[in-house]
Amino acid sequence: MSTYAQELRATAQAMVAPGKGVLAMDESNGTCNKRLGKVGIEQTEDMRRAYRQLILTTPNLGNYISGAILYDETIRQSTKEGTPFLKVMTDAGIIPGIKVDTGAKDMAGFPEEKITEGLDGLRDRIAEYYQMGARFAKWRAVITIGDGIPSRGCIEANAHGLARYAQLCQEGGLVPIVEPEVLIDGDHTLERCYQVTEETLRTVFNQLYNQRVAFDQMILKPSMVISGKDCPNQASVNEVADATVQCLMNSVPASVAGVAFLSGGQSNEQASAHLNAMNVKYADQAPWPITFSYARAIQQPALEAWKGKESNVSLAQKLLLHRAKCNSAAHEGKYTPEVEKELEPVTA
Ligand code: 13P
């Protein structure tokens, strides 16, 4: 058992507390640059820093966000005025987290499939991050649905990586967010997504068990069971909620501290509506809290409004807070069209 067991349990529970969820802002420099570039913002270290400052200094963010996942560059940065981001976060009651995988790479021998790297030297990196103040970590594995894929080889190798990472995290005092993402890309049906997600989760938990990971000291970050983006028949909000919870009930141990979904390319409103429906229908039956760990579905409106200009910071922060608030409401099963519309007068 980890010497940090008690602390890990408390951190994991705080991450998924009622009305709270996790903000993912751990885009690698490459991904962050791509997102800045898309909305016409200069792609420099200082713009990435300014954007992350905008997010972390949003007034009252800690009311809805329990923890935020940072990238290695970001955890070492400070505001323009010189306050370390880590201090800004702890002052706001937001637990610092850190992405520790080094990315999903093409998997040798498995065309069209990815394997996530980052185990080399991980024990030392975890020790440094813990000493800096991080209290949880993230590792994302990617499963692609397509012709004849995913393969068993890909699912097993990714599940093994996630389990090795999770055990190293618990040894070093970081709560592992275990993220096996089944991609939304493709024209597959909801049923196919269900099959692949169930096989993936069962394999992941088998590997976590083999590696002696403590389920009550980890957070699962799954994708929802949803129709592929290009599937002509798009499942309804209730169908997604039903299939997702059923799939997780069949594959995720009851002792897992919490489930915090990724948004995976869903629209902002869809991501809130799906999370809300799961909580309205199943909060009483599910053994774990069901919340969010969104990146795009929280950040996107803010990024578009900011445009890299100081004069837009306050509007962008209001938009960011609004999405955090909508998803907080969804975690409690209280997201309604009224909650969604609350911000309209501000943006008009
Ligand atoms: P999205 O919510 O944009 O899918 O991002 C979540 C995440 O952290 C992906 O690793």
Side-chain angles (χ1 to χ4, degrees):
M1 195 174 70
S2 167
T3 46
Y4 294 96
Q6 223 176 339
E7 180 182 324
L8 290 167
R9 227 172 271 128
T11 302
Q13 285 168 14
M15 288 165 69
V16 296
K20 298 273 181 87
V22 174
L23 168 61
M25 49 179 290
D26 60 326
E27 297 84 4
S28 64
N29 290 348
T31 303
C32 187
N33 284 343
K34 230 189 285 166
R35 301 218 171 130
L36 293 177
K38 247 192 193 162
V39 291
I41 300 171
E42 209 191 339
Q43 297 149 54
T44 60
E45 177 176 351
D46 199 52
M47 285 315 248
R48 293 194 296 272
R49 193 203 55 73
Y51 178 53
R52 267 64 182 257
Q53 172 167 350
L54 179 161
I55 296 177
L56 291 173
T57 58
T58 296
N60 301 320
L61 192 62
N63 292 352
Y64 311 115
I65 299 297
S66 54
I69 318 171
L70 308 174
Y71 182 59
D72 183 75
E73 177 181 86
T74 323
I75 199 171
R76 301 171 197 280
Q77 287 174 324
S78 301
T79 63
K80 204 171 158 197
E81 299 72 31
T83 312
F85 283 163
L86 285 167
K87 176 161 167 38
V88 173
M89 294 172 77
T90 30
D91 287 352
I94 298 172
I95 308 168
I98 181 77
K99 180 228 284 294
V100 300
D101 68 67
T102 55
K105 310 283 163 61
D106 290 342
M107 184 163 164
F110 293 80
E112 313 295 325
E113 297 195 283
K114 302 274 186 198
I115 178 72
T116 299
E117 295 184 352
L119 286 172
D120 289 353
L122 184 55
R123 176 179 273 138
D124 294 341
R125 290 194 288 129
I126 287 171
E128 187 196 5
Y129 291 136
Y130 183 88
Q131 190 270 331
M132 290 172 86
R135 287 297 175 267
F136 69 94
K138 178 188 117 172
W139 176 292
R140 171 177 177 255
V142 178
I143 305 296
T144 310
I145 301 182
D147 226 3
I149 58 171
S151 64
R152 245 347 264 171
C154 172
I155 294 175
E156 279 180 15
N158 274 292
H160 183 74
L162 278 165
R164 296 269 312 281
Y165 139 83
Q167 182 53 263
L168 280 161
C169 282
Q170 291 185 340
E171 177 197 79
L174 301 182
V175 171
I177 293 185
V178 172
E179 179 179 4
E181 174 171 5
V182 176
L183 292 179
I184 198 173
D185 303 332
D187 61 0
H188 52 270
T189 60
L190 172 119
E191 289 72 24
R192 174 97 175 102
C193 181
Y194 185 110
Q195 263 176 3
V196 171
T197 306
E198 185 175 42
E199 182 181 353
T200 300
L201 290 174
R202 282 174 180 262
T203 309
V204 165
F205 279 98
N206 187 40
Q207 288 286 345
L208 289 167
Y209 174 70
N210 289 344
Q211 295 303 319
R212 304 179 176 167
V213 172
F215 298 152
D216 63 341
Q217 295 154 44
M218 63 161 274
I219 301 291
L220 175 70
K221 175 165 174 168
S223 41
M224 296 181 196
V225 175
I226 198 167
S227 319
K229 212 168 48 187
D230 303 323
C231 178
N233 180 15
Q234 289 289 313
S236 69
V237 169
N238 277 325
E239 284 167 341
V240 170
D242 293 347
T244 302
V245 176
Q246 193 189 344
C247 182
L248 266 63
M249 296 274 252
N250 279 332
S251 50
V252 180
S255 52
V256 166
V259 171
F261 284 97
L262 58 92
S263 60
Q266 300 178 44
S267 73
N268 305 323
E269 287 81 2
Q270 264 181 340
S272 299
H274 288 148
L275 180 62
N276 187 65
M278 285 191 257
N279 278 296
V280 167
K281 299 181 86 169
Y282 299 105
D284 291 348
Q285 296 161 51
W288 357 260
I290 301 175
T291 190
F292 60 90
S293 175
Y294 295 160
R296 283 164 289 178
I298 294 181
Q299 293 182 37
Q300 202 53 37
L303 178 60
E304 285 167 17
W306 177 47
K307 300 192 179 78
K309 294 206 180 88
E310 188 61 35
S311 54
N312 294 330
V313 165
S314 164
L315 171 62
Q317 289 182 330
K318 286 190 179 103
L319 293 166
L320 184 86
L321 191 72
H322 180 60
R323 289 260 54 89
K325 187 177 175 189
C326 285
N327 291 310
S328 159
H331 175 20
E332 306 220 69
K334 293 178 182 159
Y335 171 72
T336 59
E338 289 70 41
V339 174
E340 180 58 55
K341 285 196 178 78
E342 256 174 37
L343 199 68
E344 270 180 14
V346 180
T347 50

